[in-house]
């Protein structure tokens, strides 16, 4: 049982990754970002998920340093933006170095291809492999990859991504992808786990939440953990940052897990990665 905020999954290269992380997409205001990241670290989160595209890598680095927590106690993820992927191999290498410098860290824990760009992601993956071999990133992975895309990079490079970060929540449970990743040693990480703020619309969660004395958000985050999925909720409010981390003292029954699984509608709030035109 996953029973504390510092509990980790072991990735396919033996690196430990915390089950719970803090997402910082759409936190653009530096003061708000600084407050949110420091509040999350104070609440015990030890993993932060950012991206070049979020425009806040520098501010994440500053907040981490100001927190006083030693870098090696934390797990920091960032992502390769699509424009750099389109520019090719050398641009990927440069993009990583730029992200690393902006954050002010000697190394990063996880670097992800943010979205699959057809005809470009294999080259990007080869550049990521080079960075990994150089030791500046502890693990490399992808984001928004469908099964056939994962199969493609594995077939063409022989290197299995450590992580696939995808949109995943009660209306998009991604069961076939989760199954495929499980079989291939790829850790699934759920983004937009609270449906980018639409969680309250899932009325069925209210009864489950009342039964456990928890909130719908906590029920969903616990459902992720019990499926073996890393989860990275975002909030700028102290009470919610704490609430979203208070998910380690209860266990959903098999029946309640299945009830949440059955809410699937294959509904996406973000674009289908099959058609990336941004
Ligand atoms: N790889 C990708 O392409 C990708 C795409 C999207 C997201 N992500 C990552 O995943 C992270 C999380 O996804 P997300 O930011 O889309 O959304 P999310 O975590 O699903 O939901 C965040 C929204 O829910 C609200 N919220 C937070 N805690 C709540 C609670 N306990 N009860 C009710 N509402 C709550 C937040 O509002 P307040 O902030 O006002 O509290 C915010 O509007 C991102 O920050 C990012 O790191 C990655």
């Amino acid at each position: 049982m996953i029973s504390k905020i510092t509990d980790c999954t072991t990735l396919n290269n033996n690196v430990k990754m915390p089950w719970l992380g803090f997402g910082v997409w759409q936190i653009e205001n530096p003061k708000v970002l600084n407050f949110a990241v420091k509040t999350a670290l104070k609440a015990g989160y030890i993993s932060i998920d950012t991206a070049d595209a979020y425009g806040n890598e520098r501010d994440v680095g500053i907040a981490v340093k100001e927190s006083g927590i030693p870098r090696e106690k934390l797990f920091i993820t960032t992502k390769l933006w699509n424009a750099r992927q389109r520019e090719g191999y050398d641009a990927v290498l440069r993009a990583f170095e730029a992200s690393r410098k902006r954050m002010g860290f000697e190394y990063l824990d996880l670097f992800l291809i943010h979205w699959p760009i057809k005809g470009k992601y294999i080259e990007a993956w080869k550049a990521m492999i080079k960075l990994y071999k150089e030791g500046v990133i502890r693990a490399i992975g992808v984001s928004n990859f469908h099964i056939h895309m994962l199969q493609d990079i594995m077939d063409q490079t022989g290197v299995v991504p450590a992580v696939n970060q995808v949109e995943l929540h009660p209306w998009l449970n991604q069961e076939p992808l989760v199954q495929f990743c499980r079989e291939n040693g790829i850790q699934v990480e759920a983004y937009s786990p609270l449906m980018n703020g639409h969680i309250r619309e899932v009325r069925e969660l209210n009864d489950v939440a009342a039964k456990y004395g928890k909130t719908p958000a906590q029920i969903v985050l616990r459902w992720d953990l019990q499926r073996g999925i890393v989860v990275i909720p975002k909030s700028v409010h102290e009470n919610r940052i704490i609430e979203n981390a208070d998910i380690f003292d209860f266990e959903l029954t098999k029946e309640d897990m299945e009830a949440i699984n059955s809410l699937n509608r294959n509904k996406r709030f973000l674009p289908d990665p099959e058609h990336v035109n941004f």
Side-chain angles (χ1 to χ4, degrees):
M1 170 163 159
I2 298 170
S3 59
K4 54 185 191 309
I5 195 168
T6 50
D7 280 354
C8 290
T9 177
T10 304
L11 302 179
N12 61 16
N13 64 350
N14 280 326
V15 163
K16 306 267 187 217
M17 176 178 192
W19 287 108
L20 180 72
F22 184 67
V24 298
W25 181 40
Q26 297 173 316
I27 317 184
E28 279 114 29
N29 180 310
K31 277 197 187 135
V32 176
L33 187 282
N34 189 275
F35 170 81
V37 170
K38 282 201 219 156
T39 302
L41 293 174
K42 210 165 117 198
Y45 293 71
I46 54 168
S47 171
I48 296 170
D49 180 85
T50 184
D52 180 2
Y54 302 170
N56 57 21
E57 287 177 318
R58 191 181 309 279
D59 296 313
V60 167
I62 291 169
V64 164
K65 268 178 224 101
E66 287 178 4
S67 78
I69 298 173
R71 168 69 185 88
E72 63 277 11
K73 299 251 187 252
L74 302 175
F75 190 97
I76 310 286
T77 301
T78 196
K79 312 185 193 84
L80 170 74
W81 186 235
N82 303 348
R84 307 286 86 72
Q85 188 182 161
R86 287 193 176 91
E87 287 163 10
Y89 190 92
D90 289 337
V92 175
L93 303 180
R94 285 196 302 272
F96 171 77
E97 189 51 19
S99 282
R100 191 189 67 75
K101 278 209 178 123
R102 266 195 297 276
M103 299 185 88
F105 298 135
E106 278 178 27
Y107 67 94
L108 292 175
D109 295 281
L110 181 62
F111 193 40
L112 304 175
I113 298 181
H114 206 148
W115 291 87
I117 307 293
K118 283 201 184 99
K120 296 307 289 185
Y121 62 71
I122 297 288
E123 198 182 333
W125 187 238
K126 287 181 178 163
M128 310 268 281
I129 294 167
K130 177 179 159 66
L131 290 164
Y132 175 67
K133 287 188 175 156
E134 282 172 1
V136 282
I137 319 172
R138 296 177 66 232
I140 50 174
V142 295
S143 177
N144 295 299
F145 272 49
H146 286 316
I147 291 175
H148 73 90
M149 298 160 177
L150 293 168
Q151 194 65 62
D152 193 23
I153 59 168
M154 294 192 291
D155 289 347
Q156 296 210 40
T157 67
V159 179
V160 181
V163 171
N164 186 20
Q165 183 186 112
V166 294
E167 181 176 348
L168 192 155
H169 44 67
W171 283 354
L172 182 69
N173 72 24
Q174 299 268 26
E175 187 53 35
L177 179 68
V178 169
Q179 196 58 39
F180 177 88
C181 288
R182 217 174 265 146
E183 284 160 11
N184 286 278
I186 302 167
Q187 175 63 54
V188 175
E189 180 176 21
Y191 79 63
S192 299
L194 306 177
M195 304 157 81
N196 197 240
H198 293 266
I199 189 76
R200 268 161 297 187
E201 294 166 33
V202 191
R203 302 256 172 255
E204 296 88 342
L205 292 171
N206 294 335
D207 287 344
V208 187
K211 198 163 118 185
Y212 291 88
K214 291 283 176 181
T215 65
Q218 290 170 324
I219 294 295
V220 168
L221 298 173
R222 184 71 210 178
W223 167 73
D224 285 306
L225 300 185
Q226 288 184 217
R227 290 179 81 206
I229 292 169
V230 167
V231 67
I232 48 170
K234 166 262 175 188
S235 177
V236 294
H237 296 102
E238 184 172 17
N239 58 330
R240 286 176 168 176
I241 292 171
I242 291 168
E243 172 187 327
N244 296 343
D246 185 13
I247 54 172
F248 296 96
D249 60 350
F250 72 108
E251 185 93 1
L252 294 167
T253 62
K254 195 163 166 281
E255 291 70 32
D256 288 327
M257 288 295 291
E258 278 163 12
I260 302 168
N261 290 342
S262 73
L263 301 175
N264 185 47
R265 300 179 179 185
N266 292 327
K267 158 83 182 150
R268 288 179 188 276
F269 291 92
L270 275 90
D272 185 335
E274 205 64 68
H275 314 287
V276 182
N277 58 2
F278 45 90

